[in-house]
Amino acid sequence: MDVSFLGGPAPQHGVGVVAPFDFALDRELWRWVPGDVSLRLTRTPYVPVEVSLDLARLVSEHETLTDAVRSLSAAEPEVVAYACASGSFVGGLAGERAMSAAMTRAGDVASVTTSGALLEALAELGARRVALVTPYTESVTRALEDYLREAGAAVTGRAFLGLTRHIWKVPYRAVADMARRAVTGAADALFISCTNLPTYDVIPQLEAELRMPVLSANQVTVWAALRRIGARAVGPYQALLMDRPAPGPAAVPPDVAVEPEGQEGVT
C-alpha cells in the first residue's frame, strides 16, 4: 500500500518536562496537551530518600536541573517545565526564581516551574484566598503555606495525608474528601499540590460541588508551559482553561501581589 501521499507526521511543538525520579503520572500530563504538542520528559537521578523537605531540596538542586535540561536540549523543546511542586516551593520565592533562571540558562529557552505556574494561575483567576490539599507530611505542607504567604496569598484552610511514598496511588475519592475538609473558609480557589497526585478527572467534579476554581499541580504546570509557546491546555469544565481575553506581557507576573488574611487550619 502506497502511503507516500500522507506526507509524514504533522509538525509538533516540543515541551520539555523535568520530573522527579519517582514521577508516575506521565499519562496525566498528556491529557492536558493539544494534538500539535509533544511532551519530552526526563527525570532527576534516583536518591534513596522518601518524600520530605530533604527530598524536595535534593531534586531541585541547580546542578541536577541544569543536567536534566541539557539532556532535553537535543530534542529541541520550545519551553521547559520543572514538574515538581515541593521542589519548586521549598526555597521560597527567591529559590523558585533562581531555579527557573538556571533552567533557562541551561536550555536557552523559556522555563516554568510548578510553583511559579501556581502563582501565575492565581493571578489569572484573580484568586486572593487559597485552600490547600496536599498528600505531604505537615512539614512539607507548611512549606507550601509559607511560599504562598510570601507571595501575598492568604491560606484559608488545608488538608493533608502525611504520605512519604506511593503518592500516585491515592484514589480520586481521597482527594475529593480532602478538598471538602480544606474548604472551611471563604476561599477564592482550591489548590491540589504534588505532581504525583492524580487530579485530572476530579477537578471538574470538585469545581461543580465547591463552586470555585480548582487548580492542581500538573494542570498549572502544563497550562503555564503551553502559554509560553502560544498554545492552550485542554481539559473539559476546568475554570483555569476557560476562554479569557489574551493576556499581555504584564499578565505573567512573578508573584501574586495581594494582602494576606487569616487562616483556618484543617488537618
Side-chain angles (χ1 to χ4, degrees), residues 199-260:
T199 58
Y200 186 93
D201 294 301
V202 79
I203 290 173
Q205 304 292 335
L206 286 174
E207 289 191 333
E209 177 182 338
L210 302 175
R211 298 185 179 278
M212 68 176 62
V214 175
L215 307 173
S216 81
N218 281 331
Q219 179 208 46
V220 298
T221 303
V222 176
W223 169 81
L226 291 175
R227 273 185 126 196
R228 299 303 192 277
I229 61 173
R232 297 177 64 92
V234 295
Y237 310 109
Q238 298 181 23
L240 180 64
L241 310 186
M242 293 173 64
D243 288 335
R244 290 185 181 80
V252 185
D255 52 49
V256 182
V258 296
E259 292 298 322

Side-chain angles (χ1 to χ4, degrees), residues 25 54 68 73 94 99 142 169 179 232:
L25 298 181
D54 286 340
S73 296
M99 224 173 284
R142 288 195 181 280
K169 297 181 180 180
R232 297 177 64 92

Side-chain angles (χ1 to χ4, degrees), residues 11-250:
Q12 293 282 297
H13 298 282
V15 172
V17 178
V18 179
F21 64 89
D22 62 345
F23 181 70
L25 298 181
D26 302 57
R27 174 59 185 156
E28 174 159 292
L29 289 182
W30 277 97
R31 296 181 74 183
W32 276 291
V33 176
D36 62 344
V37 174
S38 287
L39 299 180
R40 294 150 192 185
L41 280 88
T42 191
R43 283 166 169 75
T44 62
Y46 171 78
V47 290
V49 179
E50 292 185 326
V51 177
S52 60
L53 290 174
D54 286 340
L55 179 62
R57 295 184 184 102
L58 285 171
V59 297
S60 61
E61 291 176 345
H62 286 197
E63 183 178 357
T64 296
L65 294 179
T66 295
D67 289 346
V69 171
R70 286 175 178 161
S71 75
L72 289 169
S73 296
E76 300 181 346
E78 298 172 42
V79 62
V80 174
Y82 178 43
C84 182
S86 60
S88 54
F89 66 62
V90 69
L93 290 182
E96 188 280 328
R97 289 168 180 155
M99 224 173 284
S100 185
M103 293 168 62
T104 295
R105 288 193 300 271
D108 199 27
V109 293
S111 66
V112 299
T113 73
T114 296
S115 295
L118 168 60
L119 300 186
E120 189 177 323
L122 292 175
E124 175 74 3
L125 295 169
R128 304 168 61 88
R129 299 163 297 185
V130 188
L132 298 179
V133 164
T134 89
Y136 310 133
T137 61
E138 183 170 9
S139 62
V140 181
T141 302
R142 288 195 181 280
L144 172 56
E145 294 180 69
D146 291 344
Y147 174 80
L148 285 168
R149 289 200 188 94
E150 186 184 0
V155 177
T156 62
R158 63 185 172 113
F160 60 90
L161 287 176
L163 297 181
T164 59
R165 58 193 302 235
H166 293 164
I167 289 172
W168 69 89
K169 297 181 180 180
V170 174
Y172 282 150
R173 183 181 300 276
V175 175
D177 288 345
M178 279 195 295
R180 296 181 188 108
R181 298 202 310 274
V183 181
T184 59
D188 299 320
L190 171 72
F191 175 57
I192 306 171
S193 193
C194 190
T195 54
N196 227 3
L197 185 67
T199 58
Y200 186 93
D201 294 301
V202 79
I203 290 173
Q205 304 292 335
L206 286 174
E207 289 191 333
E209 177 182 338
L210 302 175
R211 298 185 179 278
M212 68 176 62
V214 175
L215 307 173
S216 81
N218 281 331
Q219 179 208 46
V220 298
T221 303
V222 176
W223 169 81
L226 291 175
R227 273 185 126 196
R228 299 303 192 277
I229 61 173
R232 297 177 64 92
V234 295
Y237 310 109
Q238 298 181 23
L240 180 64
L241 310 186
M242 293 173 64
D243 288 335
R244 290 185 181 80

